[in-house]
Amino acid sequence: QVYLVEFGGGSVLTGGSLRLSCKASGNTFVSYSIAWFRQAPGKEREGVAVFFTGDGRTTYADSVRGRFAMSQDNAPNTVYLQMNGLTSADSGMYYCAVALGRVGGPWYRPVYYNYWGQGTQVTVSS
């Protein structure tokens, strides 16, 4: 069992920045990948960024590449999402998620993730 809690959401103006955190507890040593997702009202949950524990590789959705950066700390077991140059399109509920096994398709499909945090709200206004 893995427990995830997100922090750092809030309201910012267009062009602003936020840093989200996800604190992991429980059995945190068996993760295949750790990802950030977001979901806007009336839209599907979409992958934002992912970290693959096996090779340390990080990748990003096209919509955030160059503006967002994912990083991690080993102790406490925390992952971060630095978000810069925010626009209204970035608004939504942000979640961190853990996949225990090899992803059977594209990393950004929510169905492949076994554990989820409760989410933290990000609102970008002009």
Side-chain angles (χ1 to χ4, degrees), residues 85-125:
L86 289 165
T87 74
S88 60
D90 297 312
S91 295
M93 188 72 74
Y94 282 70
Y95 303 88
C96 61
V98 166
L100 297 179
R102 180 183 177 88
V103 176
W107 66 267
Y108 48 80
R109 292 182 178 177
V111 69
Y112 298 132
Y113 291 81
N114 304 94
Y115 300 101
W116 295 83
Q118 84 291 340
T120 185
Q121 181 68 41
V122 172
T123 303
V124 185
S125 61

Side-chain angles (χ1 to χ4, degrees), residues 19 22-31 34 51-54 56 71-80:
R19 190 194 192 204
C22 175
K23 177 67 173 64
S25 60
N27 187 359
T28 62
F29 304 103
V30 296
S31 299
I34 307 170
F51 172 74
F52 296 98
T53 60
S71 60
Q72 63 168 351
D73 290 335
N74 293 127
N77 201 332
T78 307
V79 297
Y80 304 94

Side-chain angles (χ1 to χ4, degrees), residues 31-53:
S31 299
Y32 173 76
S33 61
I34 307 170
W36 285 98
F37 286 79
R38 67 187 182 189
Q39 188 167 25
K43 294 187 176 294
E44 294 183 342
R45 191 166 296 186
E46 65 171 335
V48 176
V50 64
F51 172 74
F52 296 98
T53 60

